[in-house]
Amino acid sequence: MNVIVVVVVLLTCCVLCPFAIESGSRLEDAERFRKEAERMRLQGESERALKMFQETLRLDSTNSKAYWGIGRILLEHERVEEALPMFREAVTTAEEEKRRDKESTRVTDVALAVMYQDLGVCLGENFRFKEQMKAFERSLSIRYSERTYTNLQRVRQFMCEWRDWDNNMQELERLANRSLHWLPGWQGSNANTIQQSYLLVPPQHALYYPMSPITTLASARFCALLTEREARKLQLKPFRHPQTSWRPKEGVRGYLSSQFAANSFGWTMEHVFSFHDRTRFHVIAFSLSSSDDPTRRSMVEEVEDFKDVNGIDPAGIASAINELQVHVLLDVDGYRDVRVTTGVADNMQVLALRPAPIVVNWLGPCSSSGADFVDFLLSDRLSSPPDFQSHFTESFALLPLSFSVSSLAQSYSNLTRIFSSALLSGYPVLLPRSSLPPDLKTRDSKPTDLQTALKRHGVRREEHGVPAEGLVLADFNKSFKLSPDMFTTWLSLLVALPGSVLVLGEAEEAAKKNIRKEAREAGVDPGRISFPDPHVTHGEHVTRRLPMVLSL
Ligand SMILES: *[C@@H]1O[C@H](CO)[C@@H](O)[C@H](O)[C@H]1NC(C)=O
Ligand SMILES: *[C@@H]1O[C@H](CO)[C@@H](O)[C@H](O)[C@H]1NC(C)=O
Ligand SMILES: *[C@@H]1O[C@H](CO)[C@@H](O)[C@H](O)[C@H]1NC(C)=O
């Protein structure tokens, strides 16, 4: 009887916990559980790994790697708020252990440095940029890693932390160059090493650094080649293309984007579909995202055909585009949504499948896709000077005026008269001259027309956070797009124009502090620089921009 009980107990134990505790101390057992949990995590068995990590911690609450593992799983599943305390606990317990035992084999320097790097990534996901910067700095002080260094420069850029800017930017470019070494045709290239290469500075980040256009293009080519490789894996038969036709109603235009919604792109494009000559073109919008907001609804109403292709794989989307016999496909996102781990973005993969005879890069970041599967860049001479053609893989298709369009005049008819005067003072608004009010038609009107028009329409500057008098300059770039060079230019304008003020865009508290410090050091009263509330409606934002004579 006793023997049977023992056997049953043993069997139950084995079934319930396959890694049954055989012998050794509690800590060793915990570590065994932890290793098993890590193995499961790497195999993608998140749920089981999570349980096993928790079991580890039940036995040994000082096991830093178990906190770390849980943090990583939560982060992978975008549970960024829950992940944060785990990473914090991981570094705290690891640091304690290191203090107790300098030579600890449980926590090596490499492990500790990577824990801080992961903590930094998680802090960024939680919008805690100042702490993020500290975490990356700590990681680098333990052990240097190119990835952490690159991450640190990015958060420093968000913080407008410009100390040692030139050196850091040069180093970043050097690292970017090195990480691209395998690119065919690139310095010392060896195309066989593609597997070992990694995307250190993705193209959508390269744009915001003062990088050589050659490096920026190479970064884009990197992603283009990875994208093509992914597309080839799908082994689709090449699409048959429709004959390009210019006969009435036979030209089919397709627009592809994930941003057909209430965002800066959506507000720009909202009414643009209705500008097309419907007697000549059939227009289809392919939306990579789903949404239900007023901007989206008006797009759906105004475009002839609106296809929500969210959730469909790139091959399915490409087939849909091809079936609808699209002649010209315009992509407006570029590498905006590229996954840093793979270098591939869904929209680019659709393009790589060549669903239409002509593919155009338009209105996105105004930089090259680096892709052989994109034929033209639709731009203008000012944004894309013909001399720059060699930095683009697309052929330039340059419009006579501006590549940019705007729906503002249609969206805010209450502001049309004021826009008209803004137009005369150099503001590029898509508005036929014939529609200008008669008193604003003369070319020789001075920019003060704007101020007069504002007064006439009861737009009171004070209500929009700017002084009643004086020149208002504005730069609504987000903080990470500011550079010390550009900011120095603003400061010299403030020095040269007494009574002027500068309005800046969205920035973290720490970034604001750095900006004010820069101003003070240049002898400019920081009170002349303001950061208006970024959380206002688009209508309010457009209205408050009106008094800003120079607004970039
Ligand atoms: C990176 O490569 C480009 C292109 O060869 C070169 O012009 C640039 O000087 C390089 N930058 C650095 C920092 O090495
Ligand atoms: C805005 O950001 C872009 C991209 O970084 C930069 O090229 C441009 O100079 C910035 N403009 C201003 C006025 O800061
Ligand atoms: C114009 O209309 C928008 C949206 O309806 C509104 O937010 C804005 O305040 C108006 N501006 C003026 C000057 O009336």
Side-chain angles (χ1 to χ4, degrees):
M1 183 66 175
N2 269 352
V3 172
I4 291 172
V5 170
V6 169
V7 168
V8 167
V9 167
L10 270 181
L11 274 179
T12 317
C13 196
C14 289
V15 170
L16 288 182
C17 43
F19 315 98
I21 304 162
E22 285 159 15
S23 64
S25 73
R26 220 175 142 85
L27 293 189
E28 279 165 17
D29 296 331
E31 185 57 12
R32 230 188 357 263
F33 276 33
R34 208 265 315 154
K35 283 194 176 138
E36 185 54 28
E38 187 59 22
R39 192 186 60 76
M40 289 171 177
R41 183 183 80 80
L42 292 173
Q43 287 180 350
E45 296 177 47
S46 306
E47 280 306 311
R48 287 182 66 207
L50 215 50
K51 284 212 178 76
M52 194 63 85
F53 277 129
Q54 274 149 0
E55 190 58 24
T56 308
L57 289 173
R58 205 178 51 76
L59 293 174
D60 172 12
S61 64
T62 67
N63 192 311
S64 53
K65 286 186 181 166
Y67 293 112
W68 185 21
I70 296 177
R72 285 177 159 190
I73 293 173
L74 295 174
L75 191 60
E76 275 159 24
H77 289 83
E78 288 168 19
R79 291 159 68 178
V80 296
E81 278 166 44
E82 293 160 82
L84 188 53
M86 291 296 135
F87 286 119
R88 285 196 204 280
E89 202 59 47
V91 297
T92 312
T93 47
E95 293 271 22
E96 268 166 23
E97 174 139 351
K98 280 253 181 242
R99 258 195 302 279
R100 269 198 314 271
D101 174 8
K102 252 191 144 31
E103 305 301 313
S104 166
T105 49
R106 282 216 312 179
V107 185
T108 58
D109 280 352
V110 179
L112 188 59
V114 184
M115 277 183 201
Y116 272 108
Q117 141 79 24
D118 288 352
L119 169 66
V121 170
C122 188
L123 283 163
E125 296 289 324
N126 283 280
F127 304 103
R128 293 168 173 267
F129 299 115
K130 210 172 159 189
E131 288 171 79
Q132 183 187 34
M133 199 159 78
K134 292 229 164 70
F136 288 149
E137 279 166 353
R138 176 82 185 111
S139 173
L140 287 169
S141 74
I142 300 165
R143 191 169 182 278
Y144 177 83
S145 118
E146 292 179 352
R147 170 74 65 202
T148 310
Y149 176 84
T150 315
N151 286 345
L152 174 63
Q153 296 318 316
R154 182 133 173 91
V155 58
R156 281 174 59 104
Q157 197 183 28
F158 267 91
M159 299 287 90
C160 302
E161 181 58 78
W162 296 327
R163 257 176 305 143
D164 226 9
W165 169 266
D166 289 339
N167 286 337
N168 280 324
M169 290 302 117
Q170 174 126 28
E171 176 62 5
L172 211 53
E173 186 173 293
R174 196 185 64 79
L175 293 178
N177 279 355
R178 239 169 44 125
S179 77
L180 296 166
H181 70 276
W182 60 273
L183 263 183
W186 182 247
Q187 332 160 320
S189 73
N190 174 3
N192 295 331
T193 55
I194 183 163
Q195 277 83 0
Q196 293 150 30
S197 59
Y198 53 101
L199 191 57
L200 206 50
V201 181
Q204 76 277 31
H205 293 181
L207 273 179
Y208 303 123
Y209 293 124
M211 280 204 178
S212 127
I214 303 174
T215 308
T216 309
L217 175 59
S219 171
R221 276 202 76 63
F222 181 115
C223 286
L225 291 174
L226 291 179
T227 306
E228 263 179 317
R229 201 169 59 157
E230 280 306 297
R232 264 198 306 275
K233 283 189 199 155
L234 298 173
Q235 295 191 324
L236 294 190
K237 274 217 304 267
F239 288 117
R240 285 169 60 119
H241 291 154
Q243 287 280 316
T244 309
S245 160
W246 303 104
R247 278 198 295 272
K249 213 54 194 168
E250 284 186 8
V252 181
R253 300 286 173 276
Y255 289 86
L256 179 68
S257 177
S258 63
Q259 303 175 77
F260 294 131
N263 54 47
S264 53
F265 170 79
W267 292 314
T268 298
M269 280 295 287
E270 188 168 354
H271 302 291
V272 168
F273 297 120
S274 65
F275 299 165
H276 289 79
D277 180 349
R278 293 218 172 156
T279 61
R280 296 178 56 204
F281 303 112
H282 180 79
V283 181
I284 312 171
F286 296 91
S287 174
L288 293 162
S289 68
S290 298
S291 172
D292 183 28
D293 59 57
T295 310
R296 171 68 159 254
R297 283 196 290 273
S298 78
M299 284 181 166
V300 172
E301 202 167 293
E302 289 181 24
V303 73
E304 284 171 283
D305 228 338
F306 192 100
K307 305 275 179 217
D308 186 338
V309 291
N310 182 25
I312 301 179
D313 62 19
I317 299 172
S319 303
I321 292 171
N322 187 253
E323 267 160 36
L324 289 164
Q325 300 279 289
V326 171
H327 296 113
V328 179
L329 180 63
L330 294 103
D331 169 69
V332 295
D333 288 357
Y335 291 108
R336 194 177 166 277
D337 297 322
V338 81
R339 287 181 286 276
V340 180
T341 43
T342 58
V344 179
D346 285 351
N347 60 314
M348 294 309 281
Q349 214 180 325
V350 171
L351 304 186
L353 294 168
R354 292 194 161 276
I358 298 176
V359 173
V360 180
N361 164 0
W362 178 58
L363 201 62
C366 236
S367 67
S368 182
S369 62
D372 297 332
F373 50 81
V374 181
D375 305 293
F376 293 101
L377 173 85
L378 190 57
S379 185
D380 60 67
R381 285 178 163 268
L382 195 65
S383 315
S384 310
D387 289 357
F388 274 57
Q389 173 71 73
S390 63
H391 299 305
F392 285 75
T393 45
E394 301 89 345
S395 302
F396 281 1
L398 301 180
L399 291 163
L401 292 170
S402 168
F403 78 95
S404 184
V405 290
S406 168
S407 300
L408 289 180
Q410 284 72 21
S411 302
Y412 301 106
S413 54
N414 59 340
L415 303 179
T416 304
R417 278 183 65 90
I418 312 178
F419 276 138
S420 315
S421 25
L423 177 69
L424 289 178
S425 58
Y427 192 87
V429 194
L430 197 83
L431 209 64
R433 224 179 141 67
S434 55
S435 71
L436 295 187
D439 54 326
L440 288 170
K441 270 191 192 154
T442 49
R443 259 280 168 211
D444 56 8
S445 308
K446 294 191 183 66
T448 49
D449 281 343
L450 173 60
Q451 306 302 342
T452 316
L454 288 176
K455 281 213 184 96
R456 214 181 292 146
H457 290 84
V459 177
R460 292 170 49 80
R461 297 172 33 143
E462 310 87 288
E463 282 169 15
H464 300 286
V466 294
E469 298 297 325
L471 201 64
V472 186
L473 311 168
D475 179 349
F476 279 102
N477 260 350
K478 286 192 176 156
S479 66
F480 70 92
K481 296 185 188 172
L482 283 176
S483 66
D485 300 352
M486 186 51 101
F487 192 65
T488 306
T489 309
W490 284 125
L491 288 177
S492 55
L493 282 175
L494 289 177
V495 169
L497 302 164
S500 59
V501 294
L502 173 63
V503 175
L504 293 179
E506 206 172 338
E508 288 287 303
E509 263 327 302
K512 291 180 191 169
K513 229 171 110 186
N514 282 331
I515 284 174
R516 292 193 182 107
K517 196 172 108 232
E518 295 279 334
R520 214 173 291 117
E521 282 168 11
V524 172
D525 173 6
R528 289 169 70 191
I529 298 175
S530 64
F531 298 89
D533 180 5
H535 306 292
V536 295
T537 64
H538 186 241
E540 281 164 51
H541 177 66
V542 173
T543 303
R544 79 180 172 193
R545 275 182 71 149
L546 289 173
M548 300 168 185
V549 169
L550 179 63
S551 179
L552 300 173

